[in-house]
Amino acid sequence: MKTALITGITGQDGSFLAEFLLSKGYEVHGTIRRSSVDFRERIAHFEGTPNFHLHYADLGDSMSIIQVLNKVRPTEIYNLAAQSHVQVSFDSPEFTADVDATGVLRILEGVRQCGLAQTCRIYQASTSELYGKVEEVPQNENTPFHPYSPYAVAKLYGYWIVKEYREAYNMYCCSGILFNHESERRGETFVTRKITLAAARIAQDKQDKLFLGNMDSLRDWGYAKDYVECMWLILQQEKPEDFVIATGVQHSVREFTELAFRYAGIELEFKGKGMDEKGYDKATGRCLVEVSEDFYRPTDVVNLWGDPSKARTKLGWNPNTTSFEELVKIMVEHDMAKVAVERESERVRTNLAAYLEKGIVK
Ligand code: NAP
Ligand code: G4F
């Protein structure tokens, strides 16, 4: 039985990857961080699964990493843990560098010091943010990097240190340069999930308006469930290599917003330019989307578009299993149901409070 260690198992990708590896018969170990609140919603369904184990470790703490490596002695490591929010990296640049850059080094060196260098394969969660202020479109494995945020600069160190350990110590370690991938499990402050949740709430009268930043920004959005398969495929190749993972299709934040609202039953019409642009409900004329300076970044990556040819040819991976339209639909349907459940439990709570007040329920 193969043994995988996933750092960042509580995140969007970690939870999908754990499901994928368990279905392949792996023993899956994941690292979690101590928190005063128990926020493990994405992995709660693994409770009691025989081949599933959790350990405390933090990418900022070498000792915790070495302890887990010695205990688990994995055959594959998927290093997904990171401070993954680009805008947050402008507010917490040092923390981001420690986890997203030095954290990668701690994993690689830990593997060496535990005597696992020749038996353990390592996947590093790299990112299309490396292309940043893009120098060509679409971007492939040979496109020059130009990182454009503290997050991207930290991830660039991660990319190069992986390459260095591969060349210096002959270790099997690779970077997957993944373009944006989303899902119904996406964190609620990333733009896609922020939009699908807002569309669902506005459609069900739980929110008045959605405030966004740069709506002209272009992304190559895929479905996270499809992308975790690639992480595994990358580690199954004979030789360690880096791969771009993307759909090869590009859309703007505005297009994502229009489609999400359409699936929630609202046709939007955009009027105005730049900071004055607004999205109106065509049926009622109500303004539902506005631009806010708060969501603009000091430097923003605005033209990501991946070329997945190498992954298609060498990994045999189909980049278009889930289309853009299907992805938006999956997310909106999920959030419409989530908001409906929240509304219903709120209604029950309100009714119960009213009954209690009138003395109907003792
Ligand atoms: P995510 O949902 O934000 O999950 C990040 C995970 O990292 C969480 O489990 C988090 O744990 C953990 N983590 C954060 N800081 C840590 C630390 N100091 N020590 C240990 N664990 C820590 O991110 P994701 O979307 O699944 O992305 C997974 C990886 O792929 C990340 O490295 C991200 O940068 C990279 N990536 C993502 C995309 C994308 O579009 N999703 C694209 C390219 C690359 P808590 O739950 O405790 O916070
Ligand atoms: O959804 P985002 O925050 O994702 P971003 O910055 O592309 O980063 C994500 O993808 C990367 C891969 O390329 C990962 F490495 C990274 O970990 C993360 O998963 O923003 C997407 C775009 C940006 O251009 C942003 O300026 O949407 C624009 N945007 C416009 N309004 C907004 C908003 N982004 C957010 N988060 N919130 C807004 O209101």
Side-chain angles (χ1 to χ4, degrees), residues 85-300:
H85 203 285
V86 174
Q87 189 152 11
V88 171
S89 78
F90 289 97
D91 299 327
S92 299
E94 187 182 352
F95 173 73
T96 304
D98 190 41
V99 177
D100 298 11
T102 318
V104 185
L105 175 67
R106 291 186 184 106
I107 295 278
L108 293 164
E109 194 49 35
V111 164
R112 244 167 54 81
Q113 291 188 15
C114 293
L116 299 168
Q118 300 312 315
T119 54
C120 178
R121 297 183 169 198
I122 304 165
Y123 170 87
Q124 165 58 17
S126 192
T127 166
S128 51
E129 289 290 311
L130 300 188
Y131 300 118
K133 193 178 178 189
V134 301
E135 298 190 7
E136 67 182 29
V137 282
Q139 297 98 31
N140 63 33
E141 290 79 2
N142 302 315
T143 301
F145 297 135
H146 187 145
Y148 216 32
S149 65
Y151 167 81
V153 174
K155 283 280 185 179
L156 186 61
Y157 175 88
Y159 172 87
W160 279 110
I161 200 69
V162 162
K163 215 169 161 53
E164 175 60 20
Y165 271 60
R166 186 160 75 211
E167 289 169 8
Y169 304 119
N170 197 28
M171 283 168 61
Y172 194 116
C173 40
C174 322
S175 292
I177 305 173
L178 269 57
F179 281 64
N180 297 53
H181 44 281
E182 317 293 315
S183 74
E184 63 280 20
R185 295 187 196 169
R186 185 58 143 154
E188 296 179 9
T189 58
F190 295 96
V191 79
T192 55
R193 190 75 199 288
K194 181 175 165 180
I195 295 167
T196 58
L197 263 174
R201 287 187 181 133
I202 290 172
Q204 296 179 61
D205 293 325
K206 295 302 294 173
Q207 186 173 327
D208 292 331
K209 225 175 246 183
L210 165 66
F211 290 92
L212 290 172
N214 185 4
M215 283 197 277
D216 291 322
S217 191
L218 298 163
R219 286 291 182 276
D220 179 327
W221 281 296
Y223 187 32
K225 215 172 179 172
D226 301 338
Y227 282 37
V228 296
E229 186 193 358
C230 280
M231 300 177 184
W232 175 76
L233 283 170
I234 289 172
L235 290 195
Q236 312 312 309
Q237 303 307 296
E238 206 181 309
K239 284 196 209 124
E241 278 184 69
D242 304 327
F243 286 86
V244 159
I245 307 298
T247 67
V249 183
Q250 197 188 42
H251 292 277
S252 68
V253 170
R254 187 179 300 95
E255 285 170 322
F256 192 104
T257 310
E258 271 176 340
L259 192 57
F261 274 76
R262 183 166 304 144
Y263 285 135
I266 300 168
E267 281 299 325
L268 284 179
E269 184 176 20
F270 283 95
K271 291 182 190 165
K273 284 260 169 286
M275 293 298 296
D276 295 324
E277 184 168 4
K278 291 185 173 55
Y280 297 90
D281 181 342
K282 271 189 191 168
T284 64
R286 248 180 78 203
C287 174
L288 302 181
V289 183
E290 274 196 46
V291 176
S292 163
E293 222 172 326
D294 290 348
F295 302 108
Y296 273 80
R297 298 170 182 181
T299 46
D300 196 14

Side-chain angles (χ1 to χ4, degrees), residues 57-78:
D58 193 304
L59 247 61
D61 173 4
S62 302
M63 283 187 249
S64 66
I65 295 171
I66 289 185
Q67 199 170 333
V68 172
L69 288 175
N70 263 327
K71 197 167 163 192
V72 175
R73 305 202 68 80
T75 50
E76 291 175 12
I77 296 175
Y78 296 86

